[in-house]
Amino acid sequence: MESFESSDGHVIVRLDRGDMALESIERACEEHAVDTGAVVTGIGTFSTLNIHYVDRTDLPDEQSDRNVDLELEGAWEVTDINGVIANGEPHLHVTAFDGDRTVGGHLEEGCEVNVLGEITIRKIEGLSLERRAGEQNVSQLMQR
């Protein structure tokens, strides 16, 4: 992983074969002091795709009871990664295609880059956000 910062607050992250996507984005946020921001673009290929998604309309208090976890191997073409960074912590979603199906959900740790990845992070100055548990234990953005 290598990252580059422009004078206007954009951080470009290059992911190389074998890098872990979310872990590398977290590292880039730390290295470039991204407290509040947005991942505005993300593309690449993964050999391991770990995501979760909510598959129900009733929301039990325990997140493990409302989420479906997918751990998928193979050649995944990542068509989009985006989301918000609050208090330095990314909350990202991903869409990927393996030639037969398209899946999407919350990006989890352990997504290994197959060929490459390119991520654009936009720092947002003058705003400090964090996530706090809200109704039904749903993580909500709040101003600090």
Side-chain angles (χ1 to χ4, degrees), residues 48-52 70-72 94 106-111:
T48 305
L49 178 64
N50 296 332
I51 62 172
H52 83 259
L70 296 179
E71 296 180 6
L72 306 168
V94 60
H106 181 95
L107 184 69
E108 294 289 346
E109 292 183 347
C111 294

Side-chain angles (χ1 to χ4, degrees), residues 94-141:
V94 60
T95 306
F97 177 68
D98 74 349
D100 292 320
R101 65 180 174 159
T102 301
V103 297
H106 181 95
L107 184 69
E108 294 289 346
E109 292 183 347
C111 294
E112 185 173 350
V113 173
N114 183 27
V115 177
L116 64 83
E118 297 172 348
I119 311 297
T120 304
I121 299 169
R122 175 69 173 127
K123 288 184 183 182
I124 300 172
E125 302 295 337
L127 179 63
S128 293
L129 298 176
E130 66 182 356
R131 287 188 182 77
R132 289 186 228 143
E135 245 182 76
Q136 294 182 293
N137 200 26
V138 173
S139 178
Q140 296 179 325
L141 285 172

